[in-house]
Amino acid sequence: MPVLIESDCINCDMCVPECPNEAIAMGPEHYVVDVEKCTECEGFYDEPACIPVCPIECMVLVPN
């Protein structure tokens, strides 16, 4: 799983428009990343675009 949104997510919507693969969607309680769609922005950006825009730093890159 390349990017993980932790449970302290405040559902601010900042990450959603940053994802070129539309891999981020609302889960039962907070946003979640669809691991089948997430490519860590490979082919679009040098690094995942969602992580730096998170105001509470609840998105983490998980090593494969």
Side-chain angles (χ1 to χ4, degrees), residues 5-33:
I5 301 176
E6 297 175 330
S7 61
D8 55 343
C9 173
I10 59 172
N11 302 324
C12 69
D13 301 321
M14 295 295 293
C15 60
V16 177
E18 297 300 319
C19 183
N21 298 311
E22 299 180 358
I24 302 171
M26 181 56 80
E29 296 180 21
H30 59 81
Y31 281 101
V32 295
V33 176

Side-chain angles (χ1 to χ4, degrees), residues 18 20 39-52 61:
E18 297 300 319
T39 63
E40 299 174 36
C41 295
E42 190 173 307
F44 295 95
Y45 307 111
D46 292 334
E47 58 186 36
C50 58
I51 294 174
L61 188 60

